[in-house]
Amino acid sequence: MILAIDQGTTGTTCLVFDEDGRVAGRAYSEFEQHFPRPGWVEHDANEIWETSLRVGRAALADAGIGGAELDGIGIANQRETVVAWDPGSGKPLHRALVWQDRRTAERCEELRAAGHEALVRERTGLVLDPYFSATKIEWLLRNVEGAERALFGTIDSWLLFKLTGRHATDCTNASRTMLFDIRRLAWDEELCALFGVDPAQLPEALPSSHVYGTTSAFGGEAPVAGIAGDQQAALFGQACHAPGTAKNTYGTGSFVLLNAGPTPPDPPPGLTVTLAASAGRRDENVPISQEIVPSTPEVDYALEASIFVTGAAVQWLRDGLGVIERAADAEGLAASLEGNDGVYFVPALTGLGSPYWDPYARGTIVGLTRGTGRAHLARATLEAIAYQAVDAVRAEEAASGERLSVLKADGGATVNRWLMQFQADVLDAEVVVPEIAETTALGAAYLAGIATGRWTLEQVGGMWRESARYEPAMSEDEREELLTGWRRALERARGWAGPDDAARA
């Protein structure tokens, strides 16, 4: 049995997988979101730890097993979110700065104006954007007492420290910090100096499929043996192990990853290059308990398009506006209309990510008339999820030089059949949903299972099973008309808040 901890942006899901890779137990809990200022997003790191522990135990109870029966534990996590904690007491020094946080947008502009973006792109495959971790760490160092002596890490590193006492991360999470050389697989001294970070404060970067240590937090002793950033975990869980295969995870945001193979491509416009989760072969002569220091891991790379707000926009309709009572209500409202009647919503609630990279874009609704109602807002929100994915896929197709014929889809929104069909229609490609939609957790479980010898890479590839397939059925004229309207709305949202607005916030 493998326990997967999927620590997401708005909640933690824990799944227990049996020896056939099927779900044997599950539990979920949301946690509080903190918005101290416009554009600032924070989490309580202790609450994340306590929620993950409680939900993990609940998933084990649902599966009817104890922690002593676990073969391993895998962790998938919201990426780029940064925690600073005291190395002695283990107490956080500040709330975690969430990947959605935009407080360092002006700092990124300063660095770009000073000519540092070329170095960032070449070493890390990323762009200078507040989305990534480096400027968040810099902000903590400049504004939080005691931060100069703190340990820093992404959420996986924080959970691993609480579980095992080890300060480590995996290479996929390290590759999202803007401090990691994705070719040398090491913290970059020049970038660390640029952001004022002592590399000794950063976690040890290890392979995704690796025994990091053991924990008794769930009863008995179980190895923590798989870690990957949530999107790389989903790519692995979707069995996208070969170059040219791609997936989109529909969660708080949406993230389109295309496996680019073992050679890092040059960073293309509008996209980032990141490390994919890889499972090298274990040395069977080394006992798992002694497998602490790995050799250089075998890695794959991925092209990534990061869309900041998709599912979060549906949540905003529910919690911010009260337009719907449940997220599932959006599907029926959208389907009740024959068309969108010219209403578009650009959900740039935290700026825009790939392929636009505009931290000053803001949420915009256009095309309103006296006849506009709840159904139009719901439909515009779901349509925006699909439009943003189209823009992301087209950018990846331009970079790879190949047309994508099949997009594997996962995440909570895949239960929305209206959205999945609309996605296939406007993308003009088949959209395939797996039997297990929680492929983020599944990928973390696969990585842990491989590290502990429960499964091989070939076995987990064979465990992927299709649940639904959506084929495009929209005319080319209708598709182009809808996408033209989306592009017009997008232009009205971009650059709405400038650096002076960010400073006043």
Side-chain angles (χ1 to χ4, degrees):
M1 294 285 196
I2 303 289
L3 171 66
I5 302 171
D6 181 6
Q7 203 300 296
T9 308
T10 57
T12 298
T13 301
C14 288
L15 299 178
V16 177
F17 293 92
D18 65 17
E19 58 273 14
D20 297 318
R22 297 185 183 276
V23 177
R26 70 172 71 228
Y28 171 77
S29 178
E30 291 188 352
F31 54 86
E32 189 173 357
Q33 309 290 303
H34 300 273
F35 308 100
R37 297 186 188 181
W40 292 27
V41 189
E42 298 177 351
H43 290 161
D44 183 327
N46 276 327
E47 185 184 9
I48 286 177
W49 159 242
E50 292 163 1
T51 300
S52 299
L53 196 61
R54 173 169 47 84
V55 175
R57 289 169 176 167
L60 290 172
D62 188 49
I65 66 169
E69 298 174 69
L70 288 174
D71 294 300
I73 298 170
I75 298 173
N77 58 286
Q78 53 165 313
R79 305 171 304 168
E80 298 92 23
T81 297
V82 170
V83 183
W85 67 92
D86 182 273
S89 68
K91 294 181 179 179
L93 301 181
H94 191 275
R95 285 179 185 156
L97 304 191
V98 180
W99 59 271
Q100 298 168 319
D101 191 281
R102 314 304 287 171
R103 75 186 66 187
T104 61
E106 189 173 5
R107 174 59 174 154
C108 289
E109 290 290 348
E110 293 174 357
L111 292 164
R112 187 176 292 109
H116 294 297
E117 185 156 48
L119 174 66
V120 169
R121 288 287 273 169
E122 190 273 326
R123 300 281 173 84
T124 72
L126 308 179
V127 298
L128 260 173
D129 191 88
Y131 171 40
F132 303 107
S133 308
T135 54
K136 293 178 171 65
I137 297 175
E138 182 185 54
W139 187 93
L140 290 166
L141 284 166
R142 292 180 175 183
N143 293 278
V144 176
E145 184 178 354
E148 71 279 0
R149 299 183 300 275
L151 297 180
F152 293 101
T154 43
I155 293 295
D156 63 297
S157 182
W158 164 245
L159 292 179
L160 182 68
F161 183 85
K162 298 295 286 185
L163 287 168
T164 70
R166 189 176 190 182
H167 188 212
T169 187
D170 89 300
C171 288
T172 69
N173 279 293
S175 74
R176 307 300 294 177
T177 62
M178 215 157 60
L179 296 170
F180 194 72
D181 189 323
I182 60 173
R183 290 170 177 79
R184 294 193 302 114
L185 304 181
W187 300 113
D188 188 87
E189 295 83 356
E190 192 172 356
L191 288 173
C192 285
L194 177 64
F195 294 101
V197 182
D198 182 352
Q201 295 178 281
L202 299 173
E204 182 183 5
L206 300 168
S208 299
S209 184
H210 176 72
V211 178
Y212 294 81
T214 60
T215 183
S216 59
F218 299 102
E221 285 287 329
V224 180
I227 294 178
D230 51 10
Q231 302 314 316
Q232 288 98 327
L235 187 72
F236 197 81
Q238 282 275 39
C240 294
H241 304 154
T245 52
K247 69 87 194 175
N248 187 15
T249 296
Y250 298 80
T252 301
S254 288
F255 301 86
V256 185
L257 270 70
L258 173 74
N259 189 318
T263 302
D266 293 330
L271 302 174
T272 61
V273 177
T274 195
L275 284 168
S278 303
R281 301 191 182 278
R282 290 188 61 251
D283 184 347
E284 300 298 334
N285 296 316
V286 178
I288 288 173
S289 61
Q290 298 177 17
E291 192 184 59
I292 301 299
V293 181
S295 58
T296 301
E298 299 173 7
V299 298
D300 283 332
Y301 294 85
L303 291 172
E304 174 167 343
S306 306
I307 304 166
F308 295 158
V309 174
T310 52
V314 178
Q315 188 180 46
W316 177 71
L317 283 186
R318 183 193 68 188
D319 302 337
L321 297 185
V323 170
I324 54 177
E325 293 184 3
R326 301 174 303 122
D329 296 341
E331 180 175 8
L333 286 170
S336 70
L337 299 174
E338 292 185 4
N340 66 12
D341 293 333
V343 177
Y344 289 87
F345 172 32
V346 182
L349 307 181
T350 57
L352 287 170
S354 305
Y356 330 102
W357 293 112
D358 184 352
Y360 303 116
R362 290 296 179 266
T364 306
I365 302 173
V366 300
L368 302 182
T369 67
R370 284 288 300 273
T372 302
R374 293 169 59 239
H376 291 91
L377 293 180
R379 182 174 180 128
T381 301
L382 296 183
E383 285 190 358
I385 294 174
Y387 294 141
Q388 291 180 100
V390 170
D391 291 348
V393 169
R394 294 293 176 257
E396 292 189 348
E397 288 175 338
S400 67
E402 294 185 13
R403 179 83 174 185
L404 188 71
S405 60
V406 175
L407 179 69
K408 290 187 173 180
D410 56 78
T414 57
V415 300
N416 188 320
R417 297 182 64 84
W418 186 92
L419 172 59
M420 292 296 98
Q421 182 58 56
F422 188 79
Q423 182 69 89
D425 285 340
V426 292
L427 183 60
D428 194 22
E430 293 183 350
V431 173
V432 179
V433 178
E435 185 177 287
I436 298 177
E438 300 97 335
T439 50
T440 299
L442 183 60
Y446 283 166
L447 292 165
I450 291 170
T452 56
R454 163 59 64 183
W455 299 312
T456 65
L457 180 62
E458 291 74 18
Q459 284 175 320
V460 300
M463 290 178 186
W464 186 92
R465 293 175 284 267
E466 179 181 320
S467 172
R469 183 177 293 260
Y470 299 86
E471 298 183 359
M474 181 179 286
S475 70
E476 180 63 32
D477 288 345
E478 183 180 0
R479 181 183 305 113
E480 189 53 40
E481 181 180 356
L482 288 169
L483 290 172
T484 298
W486 162 251
R487 296 185 197 107
R488 292 177 63 207
L490 196 63
E491 287 306 311
R492 283 152 179 79
R494 298 195 63 180
W496 184 263
D500 291 341
D501 300 298
R504 285 194 296 269

